[in-house]
Amino acid sequence: MIESFAFPVATRTICKVLDIPEDDCEYFQKRTEQIIEMDRGEENLEAVVELRRYVDSVMQQRTRKPGDDLLSRMIVKAKASKEIELSDADLVDNAMFLLVAGHEPSANMLGLGVLALAEFPDVAEELRAEPHLWPGAIDEMLRYYTIARATKRVAAADIEYEGHTIKEGDAVIVLLDTSNRDPKVHAEPNRLDIHRSAGNHLAFSHGPHQCLGKHLVRVQLEIALRAVAERLPGLRLDIAKEDIPFRGDALSYGPRQLRVTW
């Protein structure tokens, strides 16, 4: 389900938003997968250089002939802005970020969503019977799995927290997955409960630097996972959960492979 469903759906979605030719989607997906694996050394660097060369070419084309896609809008606004100066290299960096971050985390979360439907058939059955529960279920899945494990911040002022002082300028690492399982915030945090109010989760981080694609991700997850639940009512794992290989050494968490049957 990862290679045949999760990555193709996520890749084609972001390619559509950015108006990347459909014929280039597979190329883009493979390069992104090489980039996110954190232990491949030179292979990572080669993929970054190659993908950056591709993105630079796309950005040059959009600069000459802007369209109605997100990249074109970014270029037009950047060139017209009198407050913020963005070089061509800055625009390419932003486009690279949109391409990679707009596809890889979504693919991992789609895989985890399928895992939830297969592992908890009672949840899938309830969602089929009461589809109005889907928005809350998506937030609960995001809380329960939390694909982005941590984020980094710098304290803007002295902060006192539970007897500890975080001084202005201190670097802080926030463990998002641990925070989303905090029993002070979520009762029985280790249980997937689609009826809980989980909208305050930190899967997208928090504050001005939270994930800018969070609304797109929610819509994508609801449409895709609802289709899976409704079209495959007998969905179940075809592998013991403890044997599922997970991405523990990549930029975001998710299953590398997920065998299911129905």
Side-chain angles (χ1 to χ4, degrees):
M1 289 295 283
I2 304 304
E3 293 184 358
S4 62
F5 170 73
F7 270 95
V9 168
T11 301
R12 290 180 181 277
T13 298
I14 195 61
C15 284
K16 187 72 173 178
V17 171
L18 302 180
D19 196 23
I20 300 297
E22 187 171 337
D23 291 344
D24 292 346
C25 284
E26 185 176 354
Y27 160 86
F28 158 63
Q29 178 180 320
K30 289 180 178 179
R31 295 300 171 272
T32 303
E33 288 184 42
Q34 289 178 309
I35 291 171
I36 64 174
E37 297 295 343
M38 301 176 69
D39 62 348
R40 292 187 178 178
E42 290 187 8
E43 189 176 341
N44 295 70
L45 182 58
E46 290 173 3
V48 170
V49 171
E50 189 173 335
L51 185 58
R52 185 180 178 83
R53 188 180 300 120
Y54 171 85
V55 172
D56 183 51
S57 174
V58 170
M59 296 299 281
Q60 290 183 37
Q61 294 172 12
R62 303 293 163 84
T63 299
R64 292 192 298 268
K65 188 178 180 180
D68 191 36
D69 57 280
L70 188 57
L71 294 181
S72 295
R73 294 181 186 185
M74 182 174 67
I75 292 170
V76 171
K77 285 186 175 293
K79 299 298 184 182
S81 176
K82 296 180 180 179
E83 300 177 357
I84 301 176
E85 292 187 13
L86 291 176
S87 66
D88 290 342
D90 292 330
L91 289 170
V92 172
D93 286 340
N94 278 279
M96 284 277 290
F97 174 77
L98 289 172
L99 281 165
V100 177
H103 139 261
E104 188 264 342
S106 297
N108 281 324
M109 192 60 223
L110 282 166
L112 290 167
V114 172
L115 171 60
L117 296 174
E119 185 181 5
F120 305 106
D122 54 327
V123 169
E125 180 60 35
E126 188 170 8
L127 288 169
R128 281 191 291 272
E130 301 185 64
H132 68 276
L133 295 175
W134 270 107
I138 295 301
D139 271 322
E140 173 63 356
M141 290 179 189
L142 287 162
R143 178 203 71 82
Y144 185 77
Y145 291 110
T146 314
I147 59 173
R149 316 312 291 272
T151 188
K152 296 175 286 186
R153 294 288 185 267
V154 175
D158 290 353
I159 302 170
E160 292 288 336
Y161 182 73
E162 295 191 352
H164 300 278
T165 301
I166 301 174
K167 295 183 178 181
E168 179 182 353
D170 282 354
V172 179
I173 297 177
V174 182
L175 300 179
L176 301 177
D177 51 352
T178 303
S179 299
N180 276 343
R181 298 281 183 113
D182 186 348
K184 296 179 182 177
V185 181
H186 304 285
E188 298 184 78
N190 296 323
R191 182 168 67 91
L192 182 72
D193 180 4
I194 64 172
H195 294 283
R196 80 166 82 238
S197 178
N200 61 341
H201 64 76
L202 298 179
F204 296 120
S205 191
H206 184 67
H209 296 292
Q210 63 185 295
C211 175
L212 57 83
K214 64 180 183 178
H215 300 302
L216 174 63
V217 171
R218 282 192 172 101
V219 172
Q220 179 179 234
L221 290 172
E222 181 174 344
I223 292 174
L225 294 178
R226 181 173 176 177
V228 170
E230 292 179 352
R231 297 180 188 183
L232 306 175
L235 183 72
R236 62 186 185 278
L237 291 176
D238 194 33
I239 183 176
K241 186 178 179 181
E242 57 268 23
D243 293 332
I244 298 174
F246 285 91
R247 298 177 183 270
D249 55 352
L251 296 178
S252 63
Y253 173 75
R256 293 181 182 278
Q257 298 175 356
L258 184 63
R259 296 207 317 266
V260 297
T261 187
W262 55 86

